[in-house]
Amino acid sequence: MSGVRKVHIKSFGCQMNVYDSHRMADTLALEGFAETATPNDADLVILNTCHIREKAAEKVYSELGRIRMLKQAAAHDGRRVVVAVAGCVAQAEGEEIIRRAPSVDLVVGPQSYHRLPDLIARVERGERAIDTEFPVEDKFDVLKAPSREATRRRGVSAFVTVQEGCDKFCTFCVVPYTRGAEASRPVAKIVAEAERLADAGVREITLIGQNVNAYHGGGPDGRTWTLGRLLHRIAEISGIARLRYTTSHPCDMDESLIAAHRDLPALMPYLHLPVQSGSDRMLAAMNRRHTRADYLDAITRVRAAQPDVAFSSDFIVGFPGESEEDLSATLALVDEVGYAGAYSFKYSARPGTPAAEMADQVPDALKSERLQRLQRQIDRHQADFNARCLGRTFDVLFEKPGRHAGQIVGRSPYLQPVQIMADAVLIGEIAPVTITEVGANSLFGTLATPARARESVLIEAGA
Ligand code: SF4
């Protein structure tokens, strides 16, 4: 490859992968690669894969089928396209990917993508490159920071990875195998990254990790800091108005984190706290290490600290051995918590995990029927929650223009999209909005403080 090179990165799955894709793009930018939104004109195509959801590997192989055609068409025009598979499917499948999809030149696991420039150089020398190691060096020390332009392009809300991996070993989950043991980044490096983002105009930071509230990074004082303490430190950064964190485990809701919900106005009152099942029998089979009562206790403690808080969660239905009684316990838990939203999935076996070997696998038709019942219940609570927002006024962080002329879109504290008719100058700003209409997927409203009044407030305040 020579001249201006283009890279297209397609992300599957969670926010961790979106973040990883950005860091790969930032690292490759220094190697002369410009990002392109389409694979059609790319010299390098990276599929950043996720192994959490059903048939993840199959989806990757069918995507690779499409990319093979593209690679053949480019070769016909005398152009070489390098195809890379990154992320958790790369980690789990390794060499098997190249065996099944010979158009793939490079396979790189989530802990090794800081080595991408070297791996690409090997491919250019005519080799196939596979790296699914758990290297001793810290990839975050090697990966390059985004340019100000890249940060601006990505918007006013950004992710920062604070920890990776997991030591919990839930019996259905591949993360401890694909991402490895829990490891936390040092406080100073996280703060430096957050300061760079704030400097480039980012207003909201979501701290991310597979088990984010297990965070235990080394602090500048030589002590181990918790996530609660880290949130306090990041809230001090000028320009950062909103903080979130995801994904949490109920066992790691320690007192410092609960206190952060009470003491930090920047910490948004919306917590994604996966439970997976409302049945103690299923929670034990899943090795979740907590009971239904423990989970409800965590919810109660957060609510006591922050009465305005709303919750979302993850659920798995049809886990091996799940009975009608177990499902009823899950449905009752949904009612008891009254979630503002939740993700729910049919259990699907991941090779290599203990649950894949369990007897009593639930037939697929029954799983589908149970999922529908659960989703109906979750949807009802979500609709109730949204309906209760009608007439309320809350701060919205405006992110981008809306689909219609004169419209802008932002996020409420509860992550709902909020659409208003207002000047695009408000993008990147936080302004109070009164909700006047509730749609299926969005809220609609009007500025609570008229723009002209807001302007004079800003002038008076000397802003
Ligand atoms: S806590 Fe989360 S990441 Fe860790 S094993 Fe369980 S489901 Fe997977």
Side-chain angles (χ1 to χ4, degrees):
M1 288 184 280
S2 61
V4 178
R5 301 188 289 179
K6 290 188 181 167
V7 56
H8 172 74
I9 308 180
K10 179 162 181 178
S11 271
F12 298 79
C14 65
Q15 296 100 326
M16 298 283 296
N17 268 13
V18 175
Y19 176 87
D20 287 354
S21 294
H22 286 165
R23 301 305 297 269
M24 282 191 242
D26 298 334
T27 298
L28 291 170
L30 293 180
E31 304 291 316
F33 281 96
E35 271 187 271
T36 169
T38 151
N40 298 337
D41 61 348
D43 302 288
L44 169 63
V45 177
I46 302 177
L47 300 185
N48 192 14
T49 61
C50 168
H51 207 289
I52 291 282
R53 300 290 167 236
E54 201 176 9
K55 301 194 178 84
E58 291 316 310
K59 280 183 194 151
V60 172
Y61 286 118
S62 74
E63 184 75 23
L64 283 172
R66 281 191 286 277
I67 287 171
R68 178 172 53 90
M69 314 276 276
L70 219 133
K71 184 169 174 156
Q72 282 169 351
H76 196 257
D77 296 341
R79 205 161 56 80
R80 175 159 191 211
V81 177
V82 172
V83 178
V85 179
C88 291
V89 173
Q91 187 69 38
E93 300 264 306
E95 253 173 73
E96 174 69 8
I97 294 182
I98 289 184
R99 203 187 58 73
R100 278 187 62 181
S103 59
V104 173
D105 303 287
L106 193 166
V107 176
V108 59
Q111 301 310 333
S112 304
Y113 57 65
H114 55 295
R115 294 174 172 172
L116 261 174
D118 288 344
L119 296 169
I120 291 167
R122 277 171 53 191
V123 170
E124 287 172 342
R125 289 198 299 270
E127 296 172 34
R128 285 267 170 79
I130 301 176
D131 189 339
T132 51
E133 286 175 26
F134 286 92
V136 284
E137 75 268 17
D138 180 356
K139 72 177 175 193
F140 292 107
D141 285 342
V142 184
L143 287 166
K144 301 295 180 267
S147 62
R148 280 173 79 89
E149 292 66 39
T151 304
R152 290 226 171 89
R153 207 175 47 242
R154 289 169 193 162
V156 293
S157 182
F159 299 125
V160 174
T161 291
V162 301
Q163 70 81 230
E164 282 195 291
C166 183
D167 296 337
K168 293 282 192 292
F169 288 92
C170 298
T171 52
F172 54 83
C173 183
V174 288
V175 164
Y177 312 100
T178 55
R179 293 270 177 164
E182 201 281 324
S184 297
R185 294 177 70 196
V187 170
K189 289 184 180 170
I190 295 165
V191 170
E193 187 171 335
E195 284 174 342
R196 263 198 315 272
L197 290 167
D199 202 36
V202 165
R203 307 296 316 278
E204 175 179 86
I205 287 184
T206 303
L207 303 182
I208 54 173
Q210 268 97 22
N211 191 356
V212 71
N213 54 345
Y215 179 81
H216 63 282
D221 54 2
R223 293 170 182 260
T224 300
W225 283 31
T226 60
L227 184 68
R229 195 158 175 208
L230 179 68
L231 283 162
H232 272 90
R233 175 65 189 86
I234 295 177
E236 289 170 4
I237 297 172
S238 167
I240 299 302
R242 288 183 159 195
L243 292 173
R244 304 179 187 275
Y245 62 92
T246 196
T247 295
S248 301
H249 192 285
C251 293
D252 294 314
M253 294 302 301
D254 68 16
E255 285 314 312
S256 78
L257 193 49
I258 303 283
H261 280 279
R262 186 189 58 226
D263 300 333
L264 289 180
L267 184 55
M268 292 294 97
Y270 187 59
L271 177 57
H272 182 66
L273 195 59
V275 63
Q276 311 298 358
S277 171
S279 150
D280 280 341
R281 210 173 66 84
M282 286 297 100
L283 290 172
M286 291 173 173
N287 191 34
R288 288 289 293 172
R289 301 161 191 245
H290 64 82
T291 61
R292 173 196 180 95
D294 296 332
Y295 180 80
L296 288 171
D297 179 59
I299 297 264
T300 304
R301 286 187 298 133
V302 181
R303 275 195 178 132
Q306 170 49 279
D308 260 350
V309 74
F311 293 92
S312 67
S313 193
D314 291 336
F315 291 92
I316 292 173
V317 291
F319 189 79
E322 185 191 64
S323 66
E324 190 56 36
E325 223 179 6
D326 296 316
L327 181 74
S328 300
T330 298
L331 297 174
L333 183 79
V334 171
D335 283 343
E336 195 162 344
V337 177
Y339 293 101
Y343 301 99
S344 49
F345 305 95
K346 291 192 279 187
Y347 169 74
S348 72
R350 293 285 167 280
T353 57
E357 308 299 320
M358 287 179 184
D360 286 344
Q361 299 282 333
V362 175
D364 194 58
L366 189 52
K367 282 192 221 173
S368 299
E369 187 261 328
R370 287 180 180 173
L371 183 65
Q372 274 185 19
R373 284 163 64 193
L374 177 60
Q375 283 180 341
R376 270 201 301 272
Q377 192 121 330
I378 291 168
D379 288 350
R380 195 158 43 75
H381 282 284
Q382 183 170 353
D384 285 354
F385 180 78
N386 287 343
R388 287 200 302 277
C389 292
L390 196 62
R392 281 186 69 183
T393 298
F394 37 56
D395 283 345
V396 171
L397 170 58
F398 292 101
E399 294 179 340
K400 56 185 180 187
R403 240 183 283 153
H404 304 292
Q407 195 180 50
I408 56 173
V409 188
R411 294 266 174 188
S412 77
Y414 304 106
L415 271 182
Q416 300 138 304
V418 180
Q419 323 220 14
I420 69 166
M421 299 303 287
D423 197 316
V425 74
L426 276 179
I427 292 171
E429 295 275 330
I430 295 172
V433 170
T434 301
I435 303 305
T436 54
E437 194 186 331
V438 175
N441 300 309
S442 295
L443 306 180
F444 300 86
T446 52
L447 276 180
T449 317
R452 211 169 296 141
R454 268 180 52 71
E455 249 169 51
S456 61
V457 169
L458 290 174
I459 291 164
E460 271 170 36

